[in-house]
Amino acid sequence: MAIHPPEQRIWWNEKVATVELIWIGVAFLWGLVMFFMMIYWHGAGGQNLSNEAYRIEPEAFGERVDEMIEAYTVREDEDSGYPVVHPPPGSDVYMLARLWEWYPILELEKGQSYRLNLSSMDWQHGFSLQPTNINVQVHPGYVLVMTITPTESGEFSVVCNEFCGIGHHQMIGRILVTE
Ligand code: CUA
């Protein structure tokens, strides 16, 4: 009973029960199995995306986002007023996270590859692309680069899945894929 002091004050010298030792062993071995499964899933399961990460100041990342918007904006989104940007296939495309939005709206072409650059201007956010199984953390001070090739056309949502404050649940972005 934890509410009473232990009978033996030097309790950490007492013998550990065999069944407890077995559980510690099982948990340790399972941890090792799961560790090596991360490497296995990278190749066999299509999980744990290949990516690159570099240090970058938020201001410098913001400038790159603005340059892309200036060069390749095709229209303004009617609902949000955000620029819809259609960068050339094969290029670096940028999306920034900040309290509480993903910016801007990207319009990509199906079957073309892009280098998607993600970074945060303030807090940690989570980039979760719906309804696909892509899920990465987005940190300020680092840019995460993934090569993506959309295989389906349509409208995809970017949901923030790292709790980032009072507007977290409204932090939804968009990626459009055209035929
Ligand atoms: Cu951004 Cu939660």
Side-chain angles (χ1 to χ4, degrees):
M1 290 271 276
I3 51 173
H4 297 297
E7 277 173 32
Q8 223 168 320
R9 291 231 19 238
I10 314 297
W11 53 268
W12 54 87
N13 283 341
E14 284 185 58
K15 197 170 171 290
V16 181
T18 312
V19 68
E20 194 169 358
L21 283 175
I22 290 170
W23 274 115
I24 291 167
V26 166
F28 179 73
L29 287 177
W30 185 244
L32 282 182
V33 169
M34 295 305 276
F35 177 80
F36 288 105
M37 285 302 279
M38 286 196 293
I39 300 158
Y40 171 75
W41 278 321
H42 179 80
Q47 287 189 25
N48 305 344
L49 300 163
S50 299
N51 60 59
E52 305 153 43
Y54 308 98
R55 281 181 191 274
I56 192 166
E57 291 300 317
E59 297 74 39
F61 187 78
E63 279 169 25
R64 291 191 199 177
V65 176
D66 288 341
E67 279 169 24
M68 177 193 70
I69 291 170
E70 215 162 283
Y72 303 117
T73 295
V74 286
R75 62 179 182 277
E76 202 168 82
D77 181 62
E78 283 174 20
D79 300 329
S80 60
Y82 285 10
V84 178
V85 185
H86 191 123
S91 66
D92 277 85
V93 302
Y94 299 86
M95 185 172 261
L96 67 79
R98 65 183 161 214
L99 303 171
W100 286 280
E101 60 180 3
W102 297 100
Y103 185 82
I105 298 172
L106 294 176
E107 189 179 77
L108 309 178
E109 293 170 29
K110 182 180 161 183
Q112 300 287 348
S113 294
Y114 301 85
R115 281 167 53 83
L116 176 62
N117 291 244
L118 299 170
S119 190
S120 166
M121 307 304 280
D122 39 49
W123 258 244
Q124 180 182 351
H125 301 280
F127 176 95
S128 177
L129 186 66
Q130 303 294 329
T132 62
N133 186 21
I134 291 178
N135 196 352
V136 293
Q137 296 182 338
V138 181
H139 296 267
Y142 290 90
V143 56
L144 186 80
V145 189
M146 298 179 287
T147 299
I148 58 164
T149 309
T151 53
E152 274 171 55
S153 58
E155 187 174 321
F156 298 85
S157 296
V158 178
V159 174
C160 181
N161 63 0
E162 294 285 345
F163 183 70
C164 56
I166 197 156
H168 163 71
H169 62 289
Q170 289 168 329
M171 187 169 165
I172 297 169
R174 261 182 296 164
I175 293 180
L176 313 173
V177 179
T178 59
E179 281 291 340

